[in-house]
Amino acid sequence: MPNVYNLHTKVNPVVRTYQLSERAEHLDFNIREREVRPAVSEPHRHEYYQMQFKLEGDSSFHLGGMVKNWCPGTLAFILPYRIHMNPHPDGTRYILISFTQKFIRPDLQTDPLDL
């Protein structure tokens, strides 16, 4: 795959930042499988935390400057605003768990970028 995107760049107008309300049915917490909504296949970031658990199939996972093999049983944890990309070839299955900081700690006033 050609390196078209610079995943090291923190501010890049090409990289879209998603809110949980755009990608989920609930505002603070959501669990879904691949079949519910098409995956974002280009580098992106979001304002919420996300855990991705791979169930079937092999692919790669790009987070910052790292590219890792993403095989069944692998759990990826993405902090808010971290640019990442994970292509999902046919035959892959995964579960996404997305949640806001407010869901975990409603009393915490720390900016997610400071964590």
Side-chain angles (χ1 to χ4, degrees), residues 1-7 41-43 60 62 67 85 87:
M1 179 169 124
N3 187 7
V4 178
Y5 302 97
N6 181 355
L7 295 181
S41 59
E42 65 273 347
S60 60
H62 306 247
V67 178
M85 174 180 73

Side-chain angles (χ1 to χ4, degrees), residues 4-7 9-18 40 42-45 83:
V4 178
Y5 302 97
N6 181 355
L7 295 181
T9 305
K10 289 187 177 184
V11 178
N12 183 340
V14 175
V15 177
R16 180 158 180 205
T17 303
Y18 290 93
V40 177
E42 65 273 347
H44 65 284
R45 60 186 156 214
I83 298 173

Side-chain angles (χ1 to χ4, degrees), residues 9-75:
T9 305
K10 289 187 177 184
V11 178
N12 183 340
V14 175
V15 177
R16 180 158 180 205
T17 303
Y18 290 93
Q19 296 178 12
L20 190 55
S21 61
E22 295 176 88
R23 302 289 302 161
E25 297 173 10
H26 308 285
L27 297 178
D28 288 336
F29 181 83
N30 194 64
I31 298 176
R32 72 173 174 87
E33 288 193 57
R34 173 185 182 151
E35 295 79 18
V36 173
R37 177 177 293 107
V40 177
S41 59
E42 65 273 347
H44 65 284
R45 60 186 156 214
H46 28 73
E47 298 179 334
Y48 49 89
Y49 297 87
Q50 189 173 74
M51 293 187 304
Q52 300 183 13
F53 185 69
K54 183 63 147 271
L55 299 171
E56 293 179 9
D58 289 332
S59 59
S60 60
F61 190 86
H62 306 247
L63 179 63
M66 298 183 311
V67 178
K68 298 287 185 179
N69 185 30
W70 198 34
C71 57
T74 303
L75 177 70

